[in-house]
Amino acid sequence: MDTSQSTTNIYNSTAQFINQQGKVVAKAKLTKKQRQLWHDYQLVQYDLTTGHQYLLKNGLLKNGLMK
């Protein structure tokens, strides 16, 4: 991977959603519940990588898994 041209990781900068048949699904086609789960995932990911690790500090994660 050549990162010399940009500080953005081009391999992880956008999400792709794949259905059970292996087809790519547009974000706009996700159900309300699926969009909420995606948002929750983004919040967890942010907290663990850039945030204050509240999930770890408050015991909400055990062995890397949500309780």
Side-chain angles (χ1 to χ4, degrees):
M1 170 174 40
D2 179 15
T3 59
S4 62
Q5 300 298 317
S6 172
T7 58
T8 301
N9 180 341
I10 61 170
Y11 298 102
N12 293 319
S13 62
T14 60
Q16 284 193 330
F17 303 96
I18 310 297
N19 67 15
Q20 292 175 332
Q21 291 77 34
K23 307 260 187 205
V24 176
V25 177
K27 185 177 178 184
K29 298 286 185 182
L30 297 176
T31 66
K32 184 176 180 178
K33 182 176 181 178
Q34 289 169 328
R35 287 191 307 272
Q36 182 61 52
L37 287 170
W38 172 243
H39 179 71
D40 292 347
Y41 171 78
Q42 289 177 303
L43 293 175
V44 169
Q45 185 178 37
Y46 175 83
D47 180 57
L48 295 176
T49 60
T50 307
H52 296 282
Q53 290 84 43
Y54 290 122
L55 294 171
L56 292 173
K57 292 176 184 174
N58 294 326
L60 296 172
L61 286 179
K62 182 177 181 179
N63 299 326
L65 301 173
M66 297 292 286
K67 286 185 176 179

